[in-house]
Every structure is written in C-alpha cells, then in structure tokens.
Amino acid sequence: MQSGISVSQELHDAFSELLSSPSQRALIATIQSESITPLHTIPASSLDFFSDLSALTPLLSEKQAAYIILRRYQNAPDGYVAVTFVPDTAPVRQKMLFASTRLTLVRELGTERFRESLFVTEMKELEKEGWQKHDASGALKAPLTEEEETLQGVKEAEADARGGTGGRRLETGGKLSMAIGGEALRALQGLKERGGESLVQLCLDTNNESIELVGTSDIDASGLASVISDTEPRYSLFTYRYSVDGADQSALLFIYTCPSGSKVRERMLYASSKLGFLAALNTDLGLEVSRKFEVTNPSDIAASTLEDEFNPKQEQKQGFSRPRRPGKR
C-alpha cells in the first residue's frame, strides 16, 4: 500500500550532501504538505557509528514519527540505513502514513544506497544496545523484499495503534482503536431497535482520530445514492428490509464508499480502519453485519443490486419438447 507522497527536492539535496560529506552522520526527515522534507542534520563526531547515536534522542519525540537516514558503513556505496521511527504514542493516521511511505523514501533516494531499512517504535532501539540486538537477530532471519518490509511496517503500525484517551473507544482486538462520539454511539445502538432509522452514516475525524455521526435517515434502498456523500468517504450502516416467500426479513449492511477524489490521508485511514471497525461493531455493540459493500460512488449501490443479492432470480426450467416428426404438419 502506497500513500502517494513523494520525496521533496530539499530532501534530495540534503541527501546528496550527506553522500558527499563524510562530516555528516545522519538526516532526520518528516512528512509535510504531501512530501518528505528534511528537519535536521547530525554531524559525525568520529568514524565510530555508535558514538554518534546519542545525538538522535534530543531531536526525536515520543509523539512524532520521523524518518532517519544514517551513514553506518563508512566509504561503502550502500553504506546507509533508512529508519522509520513510529512511536507507540504517535497519532493513528500519522503511524499509517509513515509506515506506508517508507518504501517511497528508499526508492526515490536510490535503493542501491541503502543496505538496510528498519521499522522501530522505541528510542531504545536506536541506542547502541538496540542496534546490537538488531544485528544479532538479523543474522538469523531471511531477508525481506522491499514490498514485504513495507507491508510489515503497515501491520506493525496497525497493531501499535491501540490505546489513547477520551470517550468511548471501539476496541478491535489488535487492530485500530478509535474514540467514538456519543451521537454516533447512540445511532449505532438504535439500529438494534425495530422501527428506528434505517441508515446511519459515519465519518472519521482525521484530526481527532474519532468516529463521528454524519446523520441518520429512514429511507429505502432506492434513496441511498441521494443521501450518501459522493465527495467524501463514508462508513454507512443500512438496515435492508425485504421479503422471502411473503415473510418480512431484514439484514444489516455495511457500505464503505470512497470517491476517487478523496484525499490520500482519508483513503488510508478509512481503508486501514475498516476491518477493526467491523470487528468492533460485533464484539462491542452486538451488531451483526450480513453483507459488506465497498464501492467508489454511492450510485453503485442501487436497489436492484440489493434485490439481486437477497432475492436472486430463479432460472425458469423448461420441459422437454418432443420434436415433430418430419413430413407432418
């Protein structure tokens, strides 16, 4: 999974200087305005890699993810290490963004320059003892491809994204944990009541990392496209009512809409939160989703689509017709 973010010209220039200047040990970079930009340069105090690691700590934060490019193997063309530092207490969307962009960083700066690409969550992993443990474990593990490393980073970011404070949270058993607004919670609980609203629309507040209520409606399937946004992503829960052999039935549907014009960060957060949200609906709120739909536009979910899903048309079987004997009319 890629984020669509690219390396800035400023970082290209800073990395070129790092390559040509033995007096520099490392670069620290971040993501700003949809690009990866340099923040700090760390000088090399000696030829010993470990002696310069203490300069990293004052420039890093336990609540802010960062990229660290280190010159580890002196005078080697591939003597650099790309570190993705994603602390446990960093915001959820920031974790996902840095994890999914780490491969872009290495590719655009030049894969041939990097002997290793690491994903760490604690500052102690960047200290001498942490590097020594990494070296020891790395000797025992089979190397991962770049795509495997990126996927592993995303999974680790998802697993580390639990916790935080404020409001009721949807716990997802190892995936994402997000606060849910009171109105959203009441609307979801109302889906279990007969005669209540049939549609609940939710959005993810990317600033506060919470699930908020957009609105509720009492509509049938033909009205879905007219009330669900066609410009912003949505999680929608819809109670679909139908009949089978004259008996009234109902099914709870989850509809994830993500218009093509949605922002990169929105698409990432919605996509990475979806499975955890669905798990939490069942375990935390006791809501059982019968069908899941993932579409680009709300118009892709038409009444006929749902009717075919729950009442498939039966093929008419025709009896065997004896052919007429030749010569007779």
Side-chain angles (χ1 to χ4, degrees), residues 125-179:
E125 296 178 76
L126 298 172
E127 299 172 355
K128 181 178 180 180
E129 293 77 10
W131 282 95
Q132 290 173 335
K133 288 182 180 179
H134 163 71
D135 291 344
S137 63
L140 301 176
K141 294 180 179 178
L144 299 177
T145 65
E146 290 179 338
E147 295 289 351
E148 288 172 336
E149 286 183 351
T150 298
L151 181 58
Q152 176 178 298
V154 172
K155 288 181 178 179
E156 289 173 354
E158 288 180 342
D160 291 332
R162 291 175 297 167
T165 59
R168 170 73 182 272
R169 304 191 73 83
L170 293 182
E171 298 297 339
T172 64
K175 296 182 177 67
L176 294 181
S177 170
M178 300 185 73

Side-chain angles (χ1 to χ4, degrees), residues 180-195:
I180 180 168
E183 291 185 352
L185 182 62
R186 286 190 290 273
L188 289 172
Q189 291 171 333
L191 288 172
K192 295 186 289 187
E193 301 174 2
R194 290 186 177 273

Side-chain angles (χ1 to χ4, degrees), residues 22 36 67 88 94 96 163 167 172 195 226 230 242 255 270 276 287:
I36 310 173
Y67 293 122
D88 293 340
Q94 188 182 104
M96 300 306 305
T172 64
S226 64
D230 59 0
Y242 61 104
I255 304 171
Y270 275 82
L287 292 172

Side-chain angles (χ1 to χ4, degrees), residues 91 93 204-210 269:
R93 64 186 176 94
L204 302 188
D205 186 329
T206 56
N207 292 321
N208 298 319
E209 294 169 12
S210 60
L269 187 59

